[in-house]
Amino acid sequence: MMQGWTDAEGPSDPLREELARFFTPRRVPATARDRALRDRGRSVTLGEGLIATVWGDGPAVLMAHGWESRGTHWGSFIDPLTEAGFRVIATDGPAHGDSPGARTHILECGLALAAVGRDLGGLAGVVGHSWGAAAAVIAASRGLQAERVVLLGGPATLRGVVSRWCRRREITGVEESRFHSIVEEIVGVPLDSLDITRLAPRLAQPALIVHDRGDEEIPVEEGMAVAATWPTSKLLLTERYGHRRLLLAKEVIAEVVDFLGGDPVGTEGRAGRPEQTANDAASRAAAARERDS
């Protein structure tokens, strides 16, 4: 899978250890619940060797999980989507779940999704959460054919992802600058070129962007910024779910199913907040930037 830097080629400690952590997801073991859900579906290998599970029949919806997650963590979406007539394909991303690899990065995950899309043909939609939201947009910009895109709690910029990691790991100053440079070198392209806010204006698909105001991992302003740059997007802001419980919220799941089916989300979303257009999001994102400056 991931090419380029290895421990032997990396910088000296302690930055080498931090880089290893950054590119090495901890695998989440499958629980009994995960295994039961997987056994209800059909196991397949897609793209460049990714393990996936398929449930149902009909137009295909591809699900892209977040960092250190696995495909079966979409469990709450499976029955609502299949009952709506969709075929659901949930992959284990590179170096995640049952898929091969030890290390990975966001461009590799995006390209892996694009390869899965080529195997599947045209998709009714692609749904991504967190890291998977960024990978889904990168895949769409690299040829993934999906009629609609859903982003749940996704980031706006990759440099922001790296900066938040550095803050959590107390990497500051010159070392943080070096960390950014080395990450960019390993990924192989400028990080700014992968920013969702840079890719979104080039995408014609309708998008539903869902973000919780209390997201503790990716600030709500990131989702607002993505919506502000995606001309055909709709932004749904929720309360009380945080970053991970979006995947369990019945109101959010119902909105996603309706959106993928082509129905409008409506002026008042089930999640209890008025839906916003891209223009609304642009105004709110600008106000948030002004407050933070």
Side-chain angles (χ1 to χ4, degrees), residues 161 168 184 222:
V161 171
R168 289 195 297 269
E184 194 166 66
E222 301 256 326

Side-chain angles (χ1 to χ4, degrees), residues 198-234:
R198 178 170 293 196
L199 299 176
R202 309 172 194 171
L203 299 176
Q205 299 100 320
L208 174 63
I209 298 166
V210 184
H211 218 109
D212 194 83
R213 293 179 182 274
D215 193 317
E216 68 283 1
E217 296 189 27
I218 299 176
V220 65
E221 287 79 11
E222 301 256 326
M224 294 163 63
V226 173
T229 59
W230 197 311
T232 54
S233 71
K234 295 177 180 180

Side-chain angles (χ1 to χ4, degrees), residues 129 212 214 216 239-250 252-253:
H129 174 242
D212 194 83
E216 68 283 1
E239 306 275 2
R240 76 184 181 275
Y241 297 125
H243 187 68
R244 300 182 186 277
R245 285 184 295 140
L246 278 179
L247 301 185
L248 304 174
K250 292 181 180 179
V252 171
I253 295 167

Side-chain angles (χ1 to χ4, degrees), residues 68-103:
E68 297 184 338
S69 185
R70 58 187 303 127
T72 45
H73 287 180
W74 289 106
S76 296
F77 282 76
I78 304 306
D79 285 344
L81 283 169
T82 55
E83 289 167 6
F86 291 106
R87 174 167 47 108
V88 182
I89 303 98
T91 62
D92 287 346
H96 285 77
D98 296 323
S99 288
R103 293 178 176 157

